[in-house]
Amino acid sequence: MYIRYLEYLRRVVEHGSFAAAAQAVGVSQPAISHGIRQLQRHFASPLLVRSGRRSMPTELALRVASDGMALTERMDALVAATPHRSAASVLRVGLTPSAALVCGPALYSAWCQGRARRRLELSTADEGHLLAGLKRHGYDMVVSPRPRGFNPRGLTCQALYQLQPVVYARKAHPLSKARTLADLQGAAWVSVGPSVRGPVDVLTEAFAVRRMTPPCVAVSCPDYASMLNLMSHSDLLGVVPHPVLLTGDARQLLVPLRLREALPLYEMWVFQVAGSRQPVRQVVQQLSQALAVLAPGS
């Protein structure tokens, strides 16, 4: 993941702005900003300084970008020299954490049901990492949000379903009766991360359009199970993009906040390499049919 962030830094150094770097890489500008922030956390000195509208690299940034480029080239050479394992009986699917829970049963039914020799390999990561992996043929297909400004060159994509994110809290939470986003200012949040564009960013967007202070994300979790468990035993608030993610004790311990302002909808997409093998295309079609019943708020 940090190799990708190093690539983002190199592009910012080359092009002088986050917007131009995003266009060069084929991701959204928020993705570039997120990656640079993650890199900056590891250095006491700044990587970039503002000069008018340009982001000027410091000497440290130039060294990091140069070393990162050399590392990327070595990794690419290693991948190229390693025999690619591809078996017709294996379907490799990359998904964001919420998509893995929503789509897992449908993927199993479409690929494995009644076919004992087939195997399904599911991997989760943020959408930027997944789509980069798909372009390198590390996956047969990817299910994730489509980052803003993403260039799907070489890929085919179609919308699968929409998500209606909802804020949840434990039943005894002091803010469980809150009715507006303004009531939640100053609260601490937990998220599943990292993410280029997902529920927490939808929440940030909802605060931003109302000119509110951005929400404070105190904890980042690797998956929804750990996030929901933490929410159930603390005063942390969280965004749950789909009710299917509420499992086990979370169904009894957590409640949705009945806010007057709905959080923005966002779509989940399925991506595959153009010209992918026929069985993969068939799975995409069956997955789309199985998830067609999913509607916002369902």
Side-chain angles (χ1 to χ4, degrees):
M1 189 173 298
Y2 287 108
I3 291 178
R4 180 161 51 87
Y5 297 159
L6 290 168
E7 170 70 5
Y8 292 174
L9 176 62
R10 183 169 69 86
R11 295 292 187 170
V12 172
V13 170
E14 289 178 354
H15 297 280
S17 73
F18 286 16
Q23 185 174 6
V25 178
V27 300
S28 65
Q29 185 171 333
I32 298 291
S33 300
H34 173 80
I36 297 301
R37 286 197 303 271
Q38 294 300 310
L39 279 181
Q40 183 62 73
R41 291 172 57 189
H42 297 279
F43 299 96
S45 299
L47 293 169
L48 301 170
V49 293
R50 297 293 296 178
S51 177
R53 294 186 176 183
R54 293 179 62 85
S55 297
M56 302 300 295
T58 62
E59 288 295 327
L60 174 62
L62 294 175
R63 294 200 304 271
V64 171
S66 177
D67 290 346
M69 183 176 182
L71 177 60
T72 300
E73 291 174 347
R74 291 198 298 271
M75 289 295 294
D76 288 343
L78 179 61
V79 171
T82 303
H84 178 64
R85 185 179 69 105
S86 179
S89 61
V90 178
L91 181 68
R92 302 161 302 162
V93 184
L95 313 95
T96 54
S98 65
L101 289 167
V102 174
C103 301
L107 285 168
Y108 171 77
S109 177
W111 183 253
C112 297
Q113 198 75 48
R115 301 177 179 89
R117 294 183 179 276
R118 286 191 173 183
R119 187 171 78 254
L120 179 64
E121 295 182 355
L122 304 180
S123 303
T124 60
D126 70 275
E127 51 267 42
H129 194 201
L130 292 172
L131 292 170
L134 180 63
K135 287 187 173 182
R136 295 194 302 268
H137 300 277
Y139 304 106
D140 295 301
M141 56 187 288
V142 159
V143 181
S144 77
R146 179 173 174 169
R148 290 188 180 94
F150 174 71
N151 180 4
R153 184 171 54 192
L155 305 178
T156 62
C157 57
Q158 67 184 75
L160 276 181
Y161 57 94
Q162 284 187 318
L163 295 176
Q164 174 62 77
V166 175
V167 177
Y168 278 76
R170 65 181 180 88
K171 287 184 177 180
H173 196 291
L175 295 174
S176 61
K177 304 298 183 182
R179 291 296 177 264
T180 68
L181 286 173
D183 296 336
L184 305 182
Q185 290 197 100
W189 297 80
V190 57
S191 72
V192 173
S195 177
V196 174
R197 179 178 182 270
V200 171
D201 296 300
V202 167
L203 176 67
T204 301
E205 181 179 331
F207 273 65
V209 298
R210 294 170 176 83
R211 300 181 184 277
M212 298 179 184
T213 302
C216 173
V217 179
V219 182
S220 178
C221 291
D223 52 53
Y224 280 97
S226 57
M227 185 190 86
L228 295 172
N229 181 65
L230 187 53
M231 290 169 59
S232 300
H233 298 89
S234 72
D235 281 342
L236 291 169
L237 300 178
V239 175
V240 180
H242 196 281
V244 74
L245 304 178
L246 292 166
T247 59
D249 292 342
R251 289 182 178 272
Q252 286 72 45
L253 297 176
L254 299 178
V255 294
L257 273 59
R258 307 298 182 183
L259 302 178
R260 289 197 288 268
E261 311 102 327
L263 300 182
L265 293 170
Y266 74 101
E267 287 185 321
M268 298 297 290
W269 292 66
V270 58
F271 301 84
Q272 58 184 314
V273 176
S276 59
R277 51 195 170 117
Q278 179 65 20
V280 176
R281 297 197 298 272
Q282 291 174 343
V283 169
V284 170
Q285 181 179 5
Q286 293 179 49
L287 178 64
S288 179
Q289 293 171 350
L291 298 179
V293 297
L294 290 177
S298 63

